[in-house]
């Protein structure tokens, strides 16, 4: 039987040979006996697996046949020997000295969820998303939800460390969503977290690749996935007795609508006439009507105005119907 670990770092990969060395090197130099690294390769056709096995022999490597990133993470969870789980993406890295003595001592305090800051890297420029100070709380999401997650820290997996027992108790697994799967995992698991630690430290480097969302193919299930995800987020916020017209839900709806508009252009491969576009946008308006009425406020429209004149028009139309 394998020795129990304090932390399991789970890294799903797929054709990641160009980025995986930087990712794994950032972890390798901080590795100690309390930590295990599990790499799950999802059917790579490049040299990803060979790179990992040859350069990082201390890491555990498993392969599956193109089942998707969610299935890779589920396999990683089932194999994990750690008390905690940290999901790291293969094109990102952890910060220098992220796994410090203080970090390990925090893990030993048996929190359900640990949340921390990250560096957001885009076009060679970096910005920090972090908390001003560290704090902890117990059984009080009502007062802390907006404070903790107002800076876009809600949806990502990689800026959180999860107690594996909470994942088991909540029976939370990754599904087959192609959009918002990480967010959905968090929405489902947060109600089961009672002891939370929020760290002011920046422990993760997130690499944002420009226009990556535009390069992906049209997703025919996007609308269904988005509406289900928003419904679960809406119920989550209601369960904490928080006003649904808040910055978190507004921001999520804003980004969702923008993603839907991009998906429409992908559907027609950019060749869309006014008639088709009007039809698609009216369908969008109808499907998201309930959330537009209950969440978006005048502050939210400012973001839409800058990025989409059409969505701004739809918002105004909804407001007039209130």
């Amino acid at each position: 039987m394998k020795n129990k670990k304090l932390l399991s770092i789970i890294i799903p990969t797929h054709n990641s040979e160009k980025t995986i060395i930087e990712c794994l090197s950032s972890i390798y130099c901080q590795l100690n006996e309390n930590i295990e690294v599990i790499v799950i390769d999802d059917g790579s056709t490049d040299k990803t697996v060979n790179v990992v096995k040859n350069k990082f022999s201390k890491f555990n490597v498993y392969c599956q046949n193109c089942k998707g990133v969610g299935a890779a993470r589920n396999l990683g969870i089932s194999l994990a020997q750690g008390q905690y789980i940290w999901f790291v993406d293969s094109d990102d890295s952890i910060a220098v000295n992220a796994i410090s003595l203080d970090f390990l001592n925090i893990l030993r305090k048996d929190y359900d969820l640990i949340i921390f800051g990250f560096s957001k890297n885009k076009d060679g420029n970096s910005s920090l998303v972090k908390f001003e100070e560290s704090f902890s709380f117990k059984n009080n999401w009502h007062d802390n939800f907006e404070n903790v997650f107002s800076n876009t820290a809600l949806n990502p997996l990689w800026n959180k460390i999860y107690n594996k027992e909470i994942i088991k108790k909540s029976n939370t697994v990754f599904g087959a969503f192609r959009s918002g799967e990480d967010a959905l995992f968090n929405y489902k698991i947060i109600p089961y977290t009672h002891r939370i630690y929020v760290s002011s430290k920046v422990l993760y480097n997130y690499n944002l690749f420009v226009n990556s969302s535009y390069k992906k193919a049209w997703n025919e299930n996007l609308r269904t996935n988005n509406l289900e995800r928003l419904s679960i987020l809406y119920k989550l916020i209601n369960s904490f007795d928080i006003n649904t017209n808040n910055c978190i839900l507004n921001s999520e709806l804003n980004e969702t609508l923008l993603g839907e508009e991009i998906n429409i252009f992908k559907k027609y491969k950019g060749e869309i006439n006014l008639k088709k576009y009007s039809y698609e946008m009216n369908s969008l308006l109808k499907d998201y009507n309930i959330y537009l009425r209950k969440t978006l406020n005048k502050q939210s429209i400012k973001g839409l105005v800058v990025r989409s004149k059409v969505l701004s028009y739809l918002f105004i139309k909804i407001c007039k119907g209130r």
Side-chain angles (χ1 to χ4, degrees), residues 120-126 207-211:
K120 190 174 183 179
N121 309 309
K122 179 181 178 181
D123 288 341
N125 298 314
S126 296
N207 296 319
L208 180 61
F209 295 102
V210 181
N211 293 330

Side-chain angles (χ1 to χ4, degrees), residues 307-319:
R307 299 165 72 179
S308 173
K309 298 295 189 294
V310 175
L311 289 173
S312 303
Y313 166 76
L314 293 179
F315 172 76
I316 293 168
K317 189 174 180 181
I318 282 289
C319 286

